[in-house]
C-alpha cells in the first residue's frame, strides 16, 4: 500500500505565503518524479510544478517566480513554497508521485494525494 498525505493548506490573505508538504509512505522502492497540481471549481486539474529525482524543475508560467518546488528524497517528501499568493491561486492542491514499489516491479505507477485546500482571500 502507498499513501500520499498533503498538509499545509489553509486560508491566507493576498500577498501571503504558504508551504505545502506531501509525504509518500508505504512499500516504496524508488520515486521518480513528484509534483503538485491544482483544481479550482469548474476548472480542469492543472500542473503547478514538478520535480524529477534529479535535474531541473518544471514550473507553470502562472506561478513562476512565486512558487518553488523542492523535495527531500530521504523523507519521500515534496514541498511547494507559495509566495505572493493571489485570489486566483485558490484551489484544491494535489500532490502526485511516480513510484516503483519493489525492486522487481516492472515500472512506475502514479499515485495521488487526497488534496489540500488553499484559499486566498481578504
Amino acid at each position: 500500500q502507498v499513501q500520499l498525505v498533503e498538509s499545509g493548506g489553509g486560508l491566507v490573505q493576498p500577498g501571503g505565503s504558504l508551504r505545502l508538504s506531501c509525504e509518500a509512505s508505504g512499500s516504496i522502492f524508488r520515486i521518480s518524479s513528484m509534483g503538485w497540481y491544482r483544481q479550482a471549481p469548474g476548472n480542469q486539474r492543472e500542473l503547478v510544478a514538478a520535480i524529477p529525482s534529479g535535474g531541473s524543475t518544471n514550473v507553470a508560467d502562472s506561478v513562476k517566480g512565486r512558487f518553488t518546488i523542492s523535495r527531500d528524497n530521504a523523507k519521500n517528501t515534496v514541498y511547494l513554497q507559495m509566495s505572493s499568493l493571489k485570489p486566483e491561486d485558490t484551489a484544491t492542491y494535489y500532490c502526485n508521485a511516480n513510484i516503483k514499489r519493489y525492486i522487481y516491479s516492472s515500472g512506475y505507477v502514479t499515485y495521488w494525494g487526497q488534496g489540500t485546500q488553499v484559499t486566498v482571500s481578504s
Side-chain angles (χ1 to χ4, degrees):
Q1 192 80 352
V2 171
Q3 279 191 315
L4 270 63
V5 178
E6 300 108 333
S7 62
L11 173 65
V12 63
Q13 292 186 342
S17 299
L18 281 176
R19 188 193 195 208
L20 305 184
S21 301
C22 172
E23 179 181 7
S25 63
S27 300
I28 298 172
F29 170 67
R30 185 171 292 159
I31 302 176
S32 59
S33 64
M34 304 183 81
W36 289 95
Y37 288 70
R38 68 185 181 186
Q39 186 169 20
N43 290 355
Q44 290 188 331
R45 191 173 296 189
E46 61 177 2
L47 173 69
V48 176
I51 182 168
S53 57
S56 58
T57 61
N58 179 23
V59 180
D61 289 342
S62 59
V63 304
K64 198 166 290 184
R66 301 188 297 121
F67 291 10
T68 302
I69 188 170
S70 61
R71 63 190 282 177
D72 185 333
N73 292 327
K75 296 180 180 180
N76 289 338
T77 299
V78 61
Y79 305 96
L80 185 68
Q81 178 66 48
M82 306 184 293
S83 303
S84 301
L85 282 159
K86 304 175 180 179
E88 51 263 43
D89 295 318
T90 296
T92 301
Y93 283 71
Y94 300 89
C95 72
N96 80 347
N98 293 311
I99 295 173
K100 187 174 184 179
R101 294 192 62 191
Y102 307 101
I103 190 170
Y104 52 79
S105 297
S106 59
Y108 290 80
V109 176
T110 301
Y111 293 86
W112 291 88
Q114 293 298 308
T116 185
Q117 179 66 36
V118 172
T119 302
V120 185
S121 175
S122 55

